[in-house]
Amino acid sequence: MPTFSAHDGTTLAYHVSGDGPPVICLPGGPMQASAYLGDLGGLAAHHRLIRLDLRGTGDSAIPADAASYRCDRLVDDVEALREHLGLERVDLLAHSAGANLAALYAGRHPDRVGKMALITPSVLAVGLVITGDLRRETARLRHEEPWFAPAFAALESLVAGKPADDCREAIAPFFYGRWDAAAQAHRAAEEGQRNAAAAAVFGAEGAFAPEATRAALAGFERPVLLLAGEVDLGAPPPAMAEFTGLFPHARLVVQPGAGHFPWLDDPERFGAATAEFLA
């Protein structure tokens, strides 16, 4: 397991799999160990995947300053990894909350990015709003599922701002294209992979400046892929279409039947779309 030193001296780990052109992979969570990304549905057959364990997660060290978990400060860790790898430019693949970090990195270091793939991305860094109505509309696509009724009731409580203790667990099936044993095992593993204390700091006050980030991305001239899952509550396709419009050279791919982890739902389709873009 290779490591490198962040600019503040924190030892950070990354995991390498596959062969081919390198792609730095930024995990979501926020602040979840990169293990959940796996080989990204076989993408490692086409590219050398470099999965970064963000500080305080996975095999990376806990920093001396907890405030350094804030997303805008994590940009320096990505830059330190690029320098460590000796790459003039890096291709980035970022999932969910990790897309906030990728957007901030691209805004701050546009000349250091080759291509950028944002997979079911969070929209916090760019200040888009995903309404409760859109989440409900997306959820209703699953109305024939046997688990739908209790999951939708929990979603209604969350949207109304009256969540019960188990609401977030109850809506978990909405984030997978199939709520099968593999999906349930993937979900169960999250608890041990996520640094909750770091996640609480990730989006703290000052982490994001949406207007400035949007202005920076409007001038970002590199190719961008946004990949959305057709039935994903976290990043519904209409919101992803709006996100795509923030870049001058971006395209949106909506993976049929996929949730928030599209490489699990249809590895072949996901791998083909991302490999074609990154080629």
Side-chain angles (χ1 to χ4, degrees), residues 197-273:
V201 179
F202 180 84
E205 184 177 357
F208 305 122
E211 289 188 11
T213 299
R214 289 165 69 124
L217 297 181
F220 182 67
E221 295 295 332
R222 306 302 299 169
V224 180
L225 170 70
L226 284 91
L227 192 146
E230 180 186 19
V231 296
D232 181 20
L233 280 190
M240 297 301 96
E242 189 177 359
F243 199 165
T244 304
L246 300 181
F247 297 94
H249 304 292
R251 63 185 177 96
L252 173 65
V253 171
V254 179
Q255 184 172 314
H260 201 57
F261 307 92
W263 63 91
L264 297 178
D265 298 323
D266 189 339
E268 185 174 350
R269 188 184 292 266
F270 174 84

Side-chain angles (χ1 to χ4, degrees), residues 17 23 42 44 62 71 84-86 114 120 134 151 159 189 199 202 208 226 242 251 253:
S17 60
V23 181
I62 294 173
C71 186
H84 167 76
L85 296 171
T120 60
L134 179 54
V159 169
F202 180 84
F208 305 122
L226 284 91
E242 189 177 359
R251 63 185 177 96
V253 171

